[in-house]
Amino acid sequence: MKPLRVILSNIHLSLREYFLLATGLIFVSMSHLIYPWLIKIMADSASKPLPFDISIELFISVLVGAFFVSSVISYLCDNLLFKQGLLLRNNMRVRLYSALLFQPIYRTRQLKIGELSARCSEDIGRIHTLIPDIVAPLFKNSVYSVGCLYLMFSIHVQATLVVMLIGVLGAPVLFFFGRRTQYLASSAQSDHSLSNALFEESLVAIREIKSFVREALEVKRYSVQQDKAMQKELLAIGYSQRFNQIIYILVTGLLLATFYVTTHQMSVVSWTVGDGLAFYMYAYTLAMSLLASSKLVFSLKKVLGPLESVWELIETGERDIEYPQKGKEQIELKGTIEFRDVDFGYGQTLVIRNCSFKICAGEWVVIRGPSGSGKSTLAQLMIGLYHARSGQILIDGDPIERLDIAGLRKQVGYVGQEPLLFHGTLRENICLSDWAYSEERLSSVIEIAGLDEMIPELPDGLKTIVGERGYTLSGGQKSRIAIARAIMIDPPVLILDEANSMLETSLERQLWDRLSSDRRHKTTIIISHHTENIIDYDRLVTMETGIALYA
């Protein structure tokens, strides 16, 4: 039950609050045990006096006050429980989100985005009901059971032992069916998460699906995944129903045994009518409490089952955080980058082999080569997105492994092959870094990136909302916005990976001219297939099948 321990450890209550909450729940639970005892008093009042010296009016007044206090305490406890449930859900979602963002990119790339989204929204989304609807009722039912047994023992010990024996018979059944239900719930939720990944993947790739007329095939693939999940859910429901029937039989046996004991006068000495009625009511309350608790345990296992995978993701992410600060060197980047006999590959295939070259601070360097030669991989190695298998990557003379990688990336402007825009305003997409900037710098960057003619044509200028992934803009417009945000902080190192591939010739020449004026003595690395419009650079590196050749 590790997920349950983890969940409870994430509830932010002080010891004093835990004590007050437990005391309140115990008081509320015990107050409900008064009713059967009142029935006993009513039944016995015809043959003997009331078992207290105060007037019946005062006794009722005390009970009214107690029930009123119980109602107020119950209201306060429920509010606190629901609040803690929502806080727990948010905390777990933030922990998962943080664990995914801060772990190395190669690990994140191995995961399906749609599946992770389902884990965060659906699996963790159920947690908020765990405390108020499952854990707290289980605690109250435990109090009910203990209270009922105590009062039953006070009425008749042997009869209570018979009732307990029948109740114990249900424990192995609960254990067996509970484990199977938890496993099936976890497996079914994994299938639902995979189907959610297919759903999201298909909508993102809708153009490709329509281009290849794959609509029917994708629907079939999604339907098959849904059916797999449904079959496991049906199995889980079957186990749950069988368990309910077995427990129902045991509860029925328990109540009939209680009925026999309370009505068979030869087996019970000094058994008043009130005793029999109270004992039966407590036995009934105990049976219903056990039945409710067993169902709550099943609900608990259905919630905890899928959380096994969620907690595994959180633990992995928090253990393998990408850039711990301890022992890392903070640098003020100058811009010298050197590769020494670097090898790197994805899986078993080497992409970079024995690669060596040096870029001096302030140089403009062009890296070119055919597709698959490792150009983009070089850029990602330079900013520590991936780590070399062998050899060394030096930044200003220091091995990259010794540097604070977050501090390094904050001083590098990077534009990838497929620039991604976020849903928000154009200004927010350009000013993506948390560094302070001036309006003068923003205007200058807009002009350098060639956005000065585009922005006035937009309906709200810089306040124009860019759709998710920038779907409202052309490829060239997205490239220019990505370039603008990369140079916004005037970084010591700028890496442009195929940033000119979507630009018209006139716009591209204009970009290089303006960028050259702005960054003449700052390290600028341009990765491109076609370099005919880039005329003012210091060094050319040609990549061929993972090997850097100087031209």
Side-chain angles (χ1 to χ4, degrees):
M1 301 291 276
K2 184 176 180 181
L4 181 57
R5 293 199 304 272
V6 171
I7 287 169
L8 293 177
S9 69
N10 278 275
I11 299 174
H12 301 300
L13 288 174
S14 65
L15 287 176
R16 177 173 173 272
E17 289 172 320
Y18 269 118
F19 175 77
L20 291 175
L21 180 60
T23 304
L25 292 175
I26 291 172
F27 181 83
V28 172
S29 301
M30 296 302 291
S31 67
H32 288 91
L33 295 175
I34 296 175
Y35 296 107
W37 203 263
L38 292 179
I39 293 175
K40 169 179 163 54
I41 294 172
M42 289 167 57
D44 290 340
S45 63
S47 58
K48 60 181 180 180
L50 296 175
F52 39 78
D53 297 331
I54 61 175
S55 67
I56 188 67
E57 291 81 6
L58 179 59
F59 178 65
I60 291 175
S61 298
V62 171
L63 289 179
V64 169
F67 290 137
F68 176 77
V69 172
S70 174
S71 177
V72 172
I73 292 176
S74 178
Y75 170 79
L76 295 174
C77 288
D78 286 345
N79 274 358
L80 180 59
L81 289 168
F82 277 107
K83 178 182 178 181
Q84 288 302 314
L86 295 173
L87 288 172
L88 173 64
R89 179 200 64 190
N90 287 4
N91 184 45
M92 293 293 287
R93 280 179 171 169
V94 170
R95 285 189 69 177
L96 175 60
Y97 186 62
S98 174
L100 292 173
L101 288 187
F102 279 95
Q103 68 182 348
I105 192 171
Y106 67 84
R107 193 181 298 282
T108 307
R109 289 278 173 84
Q110 296 169 355
L111 305 171
K112 292 180 178 291
I113 303 303
E115 182 179 357
L116 295 176
S117 175
R119 295 290 183 195
C120 189
S121 61
E122 295 181 24
D123 296 3
I124 298 180
R126 300 177 183 182
I127 292 182
H128 78 280
T129 64
L130 187 65
I131 297 175
D133 295 345
I134 299 178
V135 175
L138 274 173
F139 179 79
K140 289 195 288 187
N141 284 343
S142 299
V143 175
Y144 284 147
S145 300
V146 171
C148 285
L149 287 172
Y150 174 79
L151 293 170
M152 289 165 67
F153 269 116
S154 70
I155 295 172
H156 200 280
V157 175
Q158 291 86 347
T160 305
L161 291 174
V162 173
V163 171
M164 288 181 64
L165 177 63
I166 298 174
V168 168
L169 294 176
V173 179
L174 176 64
F175 178 77
F176 172 76
F177 285 102
R179 289 197 65 176
R180 292 295 299 164
T181 301
Q182 181 171 349
Y183 167 75
L184 289 169
S186 177
S187 184
Q189 191 56 39
S190 294
D191 287 335
H192 277 305
S193 297
L194 288 174
S195 66
N196 192 73
L198 289 175
F199 185 91
E200 185 168 316
E201 181 183 80
S202 297
L203 293 181
V204 171
I206 188 67
R207 286 180 298 186
E208 286 75 10
I209 288 174
K210 289 188 172 295
S211 298
F212 289 92
V213 197
R214 283 187 56 88
E215 292 93 337
L217 291 174
E218 292 299 325
V219 170
K220 182 179 179 180
R221 198 157 65 116
Y222 182 75
S223 177
V224 167
Q225 193 65 38
Q226 287 286 306
D227 288 342
K228 282 178 63 179
M230 185 183 71
Q231 293 302 319
K232 291 172 182 176
E233 287 173 319
L234 288 173
L235 282 173
I237 291 171
Y239 276 107
S240 178
Q241 292 300 320
R242 275 175 273 176
F243 168 80
N244 287 339
Q245 294 307 312
I246 293 172
I247 294 298
Y248 174 75
I249 292 171
L250 289 173
V251 168
T252 303
L254 186 152
L255 293 176
L256 290 176
T258 305
F259 176 77
Y260 175 81
V261 170
T262 56
T263 55
H264 200 273
Q265 295 298 321
M266 292 182 61
S267 64
V268 179
V269 181
S270 303
W271 188 277
T272 67
V273 174
D275 289 337
L277 286 173
F279 189 88
Y280 185 83
M281 288 295 294
Y282 284 126
Y284 178 81
T285 303
L286 176 64
M288 293 300 102
S289 177
L290 293 175
L291 181 61
S293 295
S294 63
K295 291 181 178 179
L296 287 170
V297 169
F298 266 72
S299 299
L300 178 66
K301 289 183 177 294
K302 288 179 182 178
V303 173
L304 294 182
L307 286 180
E308 293 275 3
S309 300
V310 172
W311 185 245
E312 198 174 307
L313 288 169
I314 292 175
E315 274 193 322
T316 302
E318 292 181 343
R319 182 180 64 247
D320 298 336
I321 186 169
E322 184 180 16
Y323 28 75
Q325 299 299 316
K326 188 176 180 181
K328 299 293 184 178
E329 295 182 13
Q330 302 282 339
I331 64 165
E332 186 174 341
L333 189 60
K334 297 180 178 62
T336 298
I337 301 172
E338 184 177 1
F339 278 54
R340 292 181 183 174
D341 302 320
V342 171
D343 287 349
F344 175 79
Y346 303 98
Q348 300 299 318
T349 305
L350 281 180
V351 179
I352 304 293
R353 293 189 297 277
N354 196 30
C355 185
S356 298
F357 65 89
K358 183 176 181 179
I359 299 171
C360 297
E363 282 190 323
W364 271 54
V365 176
V366 172
I367 301 177
R368 70 180 181 185
S371 296
S373 59
K375 304 186 303 299
S376 296
T377 302
L378 284 183
Q380 294 174 37
L381 287 168
M382 290 176 189
I383 58 175
L385 291 178
Y386 296 99
H387 303 293
R389 288 189 181 179
S390 62
Q392 274 193 319
I393 300 172
L394 305 175
I395 306 295
D396 289 343
D398 293 317
I400 195 170
E401 295 82 9
R402 287 170 46 190
L403 303 179
D404 168 24
I405 202 69
L408 169 65
R409 289 176 189 166
K410 285 183 177 181
Q411 301 177 72
V412 177
Y414 173 70
V415 179
Q417 283 190 16
E418 299 176 3
L420 178 68
L421 302 185
F422 297 90
H423 184 77
T425 66
L426 185 57
R427 177 189 289 270
E428 289 169 342
N429 271 277
I430 295 175
C431 305
L432 199 60
S433 172
D434 58 359
W435 287 27
Y437 64 90
S438 65
E439 289 299 317
E440 291 77 14
R441 178 59 185 170
L442 177 60
S443 299
S444 174
V445 163
I446 288 172
E447 183 179 355
I448 292 169
L451 296 171
D452 47 339
E453 295 180 4
M454 181 191 91
I455 291 175
E457 297 176 356
L458 297 175
D460 296 311
L462 284 171
K463 295 182 180 179
T464 301
I465 297 293
V466 176
E468 186 178 3
R469 292 186 173 89
Y471 73 89
T472 60
L473 302 172
S474 69
Q477 289 173 325
K478 286 191 285 187
S479 293
R480 282 180 279 163
I481 293 170
I483 293 169
R485 72 184 178 198
I487 63 176
M488 185 66 198
I489 60 172
D490 194 20
V493 174
L494 176 65
I495 303 174
L496 304 176
D497 188 0
E498 299 290 355
N500 58 335
S501 61
M502 294 287 188
L503 301 180
E504 300 172 4
T505 301
S506 58
L507 284 174
E508 184 186 353
R509 288 174 178 166
Q510 184 184 78
L511 169 68
W512 300 133
D513 288 342
R514 293 176 176 178
L515 201 59
S516 177
S517 299
D518 186 65
R519 300 187 51 83
R520 183 59 271 171
H521 300 294
K522 294 169 187 169
T523 304
T524 302
I525 302 167
I526 303 168
I527 300 171
S528 180
H529 278 96
H530 53 93
T531 59
E532 59 275 7
N533 292 319
I534 311 171
I535 57 175
D536 193 11
Y537 56 85
D538 302 301
R539 192 189 304 272
L540 175 66
V541 177
T542 302
M543 293 294 295
E544 289 186 6
T545 60
I547 301 174
L549 304 174
Y550 281 99

